[in-house]
């Protein structure tokens, strides 16, 4: 686990993870005061919840995927990957160790957003509070299932095609799954287009892991009978991305 420890130490010393932690844990209490939600106390808690989860997603995309891309590229270009491979650490294991080190800092962002919502934005009624807690915990799990395979994908693409390419492709894929799929659905509602329908079907529906609408309108937790289906869907994407990442990842730059 030498590469894991090296990567973990590198991320920790850069201190950029601390900025993300502050954004998710502290900044949600600031953003509602910059909007009109303070004029109506009823809107303050929904605004706080939306800010917490939005910041968690933004930090995961713009910092987590960027960090994974940077580390994947440096591992291949600096000779670190080639050195560790010469000591018997296979490319697959190197990918896992880099992925694990980045994931330790990124995965808790969803849990941090959930804790902010539970501790500072829970409804007053006991029944609604218990449902609120269950909703946030469900989506912290879905957050991790979405982000973790994208970290591996960003790292592997960057190791072969460069850090900028790895970041743009992985961040673009995540943003499309969160927001672009909704616009694709709107186009399908306007008319029948076989290509658009096929594209919508094969698209990663990451919007299913975004709880902002459900929390804003207090729609409650996902039915426990349906929750395993969502877990299986995102687990399937995870397995696909793991296979692709392993095929793409390399430990040295080709001549």
């Amino acid at each position: 686990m030498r590469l894991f420890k090296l990567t973990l130490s590198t991320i920790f010393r850069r201190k950029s993870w601390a900025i993300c932690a502050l954004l998710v844990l502290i900044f949600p209490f600031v953003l509602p005061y910059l909007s009109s939600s303070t004029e109506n106390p009823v809107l303050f808690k929904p605004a706080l919840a939306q800010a917490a989860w939005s910041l968690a997603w933004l930090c995961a995309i713009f910092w987590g995927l960027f960090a994974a891309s940077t580390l994947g590229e440096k591992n291949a270009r600096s000779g670190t990957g080639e050195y560790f491979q010469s000591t018997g650490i296979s490319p697959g294991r190197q990918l896992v160790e880099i992925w694990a080190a980045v994931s330790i800092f990124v995965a808790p962002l969803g849990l941090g957003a959930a804790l902010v919502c539970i501790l500072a934005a829970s409804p007053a009624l006991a029944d609604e509070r218990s449902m609120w807690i269950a909703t946030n915990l469900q989506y912290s799990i879905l957050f991790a299932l979405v982000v973790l395979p994208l970290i591996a994908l960003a790292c592997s693409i960057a190791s072969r095609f460069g850090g900028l390419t790895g970041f743009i492709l992985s961040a673009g894929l995540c943003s499309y799954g969160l927001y672009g799929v909704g616009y694709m659905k709107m186009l399908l509602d306007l008319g029948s287009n076989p290509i658009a329908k096929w594209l919508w079907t094969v698209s990663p529906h990451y919007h299913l892991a975004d709880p902002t609408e459900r929390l804003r309108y207090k729609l409650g937790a996902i039915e426990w009978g349906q929750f395993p289906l969502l877990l299986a869907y995102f687990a399937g994407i995870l397995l696909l991305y793991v296979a692709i990442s392993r095929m793409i990842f390399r430990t040295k730059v080709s001549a």
Side-chain angles (χ1 to χ4, degrees):
M1 300 293 286
R2 288 179 296 168
L3 180 57
F4 168 77
K5 293 178 181 178
L6 176 63
T7 306
L8 195 69
S9 176
T10 300
I11 298 173
F12 183 79
R13 290 181 179 180
R14 288 177 179 173
K15 299 295 189 296
S16 54
W17 59 270
I19 298 175
C20 293
L22 289 174
L23 286 175
V24 174
L25 297 176
I26 304 299
F27 216 59
F29 296 93
V30 178
L31 286 180
Y33 289 100
L34 303 179
S35 66
S36 59
S37 61
T38 54
E39 299 176 3
N40 187 350
V42 178
L43 299 178
F44 182 81
K45 287 185 176 180
L48 177 66
Q50 182 175 356
W53 277 104
S54 297
L55 287 170
W57 281 109
L58 289 174
C59 288
I61 293 173
F62 290 103
W63 176 75
L65 298 181
F66 179 78
S69 300
T70 301
L71 291 166
E73 181 184 26
K74 286 187 176 180
N75 187 68
R77 291 189 179 276
S78 65
T80 304
E82 190 173 6
Y83 164 74
F84 279 110
Q85 189 171 357
S86 68
T87 62
I89 301 178
S90 65
R93 182 176 171 182
Q94 290 188 37
L95 174 60
V96 170
E97 292 191 19
I98 296 173
W99 167 83
V102 179
S103 298
I104 285 177
F105 292 93
V106 178
L109 293 175
L111 183 59
L115 288 177
V116 169
C117 293
I118 292 171
L119 297 177
S122 292
L125 297 178
D127 291 341
E128 291 185 357
R129 189 185 307 116
S130 62
M131 189 67 71
W132 183 271
I133 293 172
T135 303
N136 279 281
L137 293 179
Q138 284 180 338
Y139 279 95
S140 65
I141 296 172
L142 295 179
F143 175 89
L145 280 176
V146 168
V147 172
L148 296 185
L150 285 169
I151 291 173
L153 191 65
C155 181
S156 61
I157 294 175
S159 70
R160 183 172 292 270
F161 302 108
L164 183 60
T165 303
F167 170 69
I168 290 177
L169 290 181
S170 58
L173 184 63
C174 187
S175 301
Y176 169 71
L178 284 171
Y179 310 110
V181 170
Y183 292 103
M184 183 67 67
K185 180 62 176 175
M186 293 172 58
L187 291 176
L188 289 175
D189 292 338
L190 294 176
S192 179
N193 188 321
I195 297 177
K197 185 176 182 180
W198 175 84
L199 184 60
W200 182 85
T201 302
V202 300
S203 296
H205 292 264
Y206 292 146
H207 59 94
L208 298 175
D210 182 9
T212 51
E213 292 293 326
R214 188 172 288 272
L215 293 176
R216 184 190 306 165
Y217 299 110
K218 294 184 179 180
L219 300 178
I222 303 170
E223 293 291 337
W224 289 108
Q226 298 178 357
F227 189 61
L229 296 177
L230 275 178
L231 293 179
Y233 173 73
F234 288 120
I237 296 178
L238 184 150
L239 293 175
L240 176 63
Y241 286 3
V242 166
I244 295 173
S245 299
R246 179 60 188 88
M247 289 188 295
I248 295 176
F249 183 78
R250 66 181 179 183
T251 58
K252 60 181 179 178
V253 177
S254 60

